[in-house]
Amino acid sequence: MPNNFLRRVDLIFDEDCNLKDVLKSTYQRSNDDIINELLESGLKGRGGAGFPTALKWKFTSEQPDADKYIVCNADEGEPGTFKDREILFKVPFKVFGGMAICAKVIGAKEGFLYLRGEYRFLLPELENQLKVFHSALNDLGINFTIKIVMGSGAYICGEESALFESMEGDRGEPRNKPPYPTVSGFRKKPTVINNVETLVYSFMIFRYGARKFKELGTADSRGSKVFSISGDTPKPGIYELELGMTVEQFVEEFGDGDTKAVQVGGASGFCVPRKKFKDTIIGFEGVPTGGSMMLFNSSRSMYNVLKNYLEFFEEESCGQCTPCRVGCQQLKLGIEAVKKGERHAVYLDQLQKLAQTMKITAKCGLGQSVANSFFSIVENFKEEMIY
Amino acid sequence: MAETKELVKTLADRHGRTRESLIPILQGVVQQERYISSEAMTEIARELDISAAKVYGTATFYSFLDTQPRGKFVIRVCRTISCAMRGKSLIIQEIEDLLKIKVGETTQNRRFTLLETNCLGWCHKGPAMLVNDEVYTELTPERVRDIINEYMNK
Ligand SMILES: Cc1cc2nc3c(=O)[nH]c(=O)nc-3n(C[C@H](O)[C@H](O)[C@H](O)COP(=O)(O)O)c2cc1C
Ligand code: SF4
Ligand code: FES
């Protein structure tokens, strides 16, 4: 069967960005006009949660505070994701440009880019590019500056409120929500926080118009998306694809002929087994993803995969709330005990209940999403958990 | 230690003395001394006029803000699934044999520390590792031997 559905797109890495013209023309438009265009595009956040970008900007713009901020989330810590690194390496101007447009809409004078510590090697070049960018803004008479803030090796700091805590010099422990960042974010001021890729798409929407973006994708998942593809595949790497494909179509293109499962969305995402490839759409109407796609072939033990994820969560949990701190440990110990035969297989049901409890009671997205991979792996690969 | 004191002062001059300067200063100490000693923490607390407990609380939260003595070269090998599937265990094994240390340990001469870390964002080119801030990808036992040998001569 020819794979004529998967459409390659080149919005993100196209290096011709026409920065000054785009900023100049966009800065001449009214804020309402800008927000409406973004709304029309249907762009949703690319960092995982998928919140409509236009609304985030709008809510923040409506706050009365004098000081507001735009923060670019470049903490990229989800296992299997590496596209933000490539975007920052190849097209940093588009990221900065997206931030500058947001700054106009919300009325921010300062922006911040929170870069994960693992990407420190990008810093010198980013600082150089930032100088060029600031001088372009200066030429245009735009009063806005961006500062890069370095992370220090903590996955949880990708969670927006933990990221603000970290920027303020504290432990990266998530805050209670509400209030949301649009009301109280960095320095407790109204803040837009967007993923690197979201900001680039925002910029491109003002370069080419909402229509070009909207033509791509489906009603629920407009546009294209950058995927980070790894695991058992003959062509691992970074690909920008139109949204709306099924896992089956994806596997046809990227599988090695023996794919038994695809983990969509990283450790905090969902495992899709072969029998569900056909009916599962990759996108907000099916399995959402921040871009992480990991393929597993039949030589892999899904028990090892789940154990690796649980070790990840156990270590990266900030430890602030009990369901997550204790839950992650117990889930890991639990599957080990079943595997060794120290516990009967029915113990897995109890562990599922625990994961369910974490989903309801954990304070932030980390603890709440452990259940995603836990359920989808345990339910679909029960024999592998036991024998 | 006079040197640490001087370093903290220089870093505070550069990054400022507000609460938001704390992590940049801690990162600066790690870049220079490879770990944050208790003297450094006390000194930072004094310089920023905050409690030492606060400095300690922040420092101990982040995996890259080491509070244990580390070697001049800190090796962090990715242990997350994509790298695990591409043979990270062989890489660890090779480094352990070369340096005669286990994961978590530092060589006697304080040159190398070997650690594991979570996904480094190079999963399509695993196995991957960091040596201080430098990234190495698509590692094989042979390649990692060459890399470590190079550092031994630095
Ligand atoms: C544990 C955890 C880790 C996260 N890590 C990231 C990250 O590395 N990058 C990112 O953009 N969003 C991450 N997010 C989502 C952010 O909290 C936030 O929703 C996102 O930055 C919003 O940007 P967007 O609307 O452009 O997607 C994470 C969320 C959680 C709960
Ligand atoms: S759910 Fe986990 S990571 Fe989130 S606040 Fe609770 S302990 Fe911290
Ligand atoms: S799994 Fe090793 S770099 Fe991502």
Side-chain angles (χ1 to χ4, degrees), chain A residues 79-82, chain B residues 78-84 118-123 126 128:
Chain A
T81 327
F82 37 92
Chain B
C78 172
R79 63 150 150 252
T80 306
I81 191 74
S82 290
C83 288
N118 290 322
C119 183
L120 290 170
W122 292 93
C123 334

Side-chain angles (χ1 to χ4, degrees), chain A residues 68-132:
Chain A
K68 299 178 193 179
Y69 305 104
I70 159 77
V71 174
C72 170
N73 188 341
D75 197 50
E76 187 160 70
E78 188 63 51
T81 327
F82 37 92
K83 44 112 190 160
D84 292 341
R85 167 179 55 70
E86 189 84 350
I87 295 173
L88 288 166
F89 179 68
K90 287 203 169 137
V91 288
F93 277 179
K94 289 186 180 173
V95 182
F96 303 155
M99 292 174 77
I101 295 174
C102 176
K104 170 188 159 41
V105 173
I106 64 172
K109 299 279 168 288
E110 285 176 87
F112 298 88
L113 187 146
Y114 186 95
L115 185 68
R116 71 185 302 218
E118 290 83 346
Y119 293 170
R120 187 179 275 277
F121 68 94
L122 285 173
L123 187 61
E125 188 50 29
L126 277 178
E127 294 281 12
N128 285 340
Q129 300 289 333
L130 208 44
K131 273 195 201 114
V132 180

Side-chain angles (χ1 to χ4, degrees), chain A residues 122-164:
Chain A
L122 285 173
L123 187 61
E125 188 50 29
L126 277 178
E127 294 281 12
N128 285 340
Q129 300 289 333
L130 208 44
K131 273 195 201 114
V132 180
F133 178 76
H134 282 145
S135 95
L137 290 188
N138 203 33
D139 295 346
L140 293 167
I142 295 173
N143 176 15
F144 174 62
T145 52
I146 296 173
K147 193 178 158 206
I148 300 173
V149 178
M150 290 305 303
S152 260
Y155 165 69
I156 190 58
C157 288
E159 195 281 337
E160 51 202 22
S161 62
L163 188 149
F164 301 140

Side-chain angles (χ1 to χ4, degrees), chain A residues 80 82 85 116 119-120 150-153 166-172 187 230 294 296 308 312 315-316, chain B residues 19-20 23 27 31 54 57-58 61-65 79 81-82 85 118-124 133:
Chain A
F82 37 92
R85 167 179 55 70
R116 71 185 302 218
Y119 293 170
R120 187 179 275 277
M150 290 305 303
S152 260
S166 177
M167 281 176 64
E168 290 171 15
D170 285 310
R171 297 164 69 86
R187 298 177 182 155
S230 71
M294 297 188 275
F296 303 108
N308 191 278
F312 172 80
E315 204 177 275
E316 297 294 344
Chain B
R19 220 178 66 166
E20 285 170 22
I23 293 180
Q27 289 167 337
Q31 296 264 313
K54 157 102 188 127
T58 297
F61 185 82
Y62 296 91
S63 67
F64 283 14
L65 298 179
R79 63 150 150 252
I81 191 74
S82 290
M85 283 163 43
N118 290 322
C119 183
L120 290 170
W122 292 93
C123 334
H124 56 326
D133 296 334

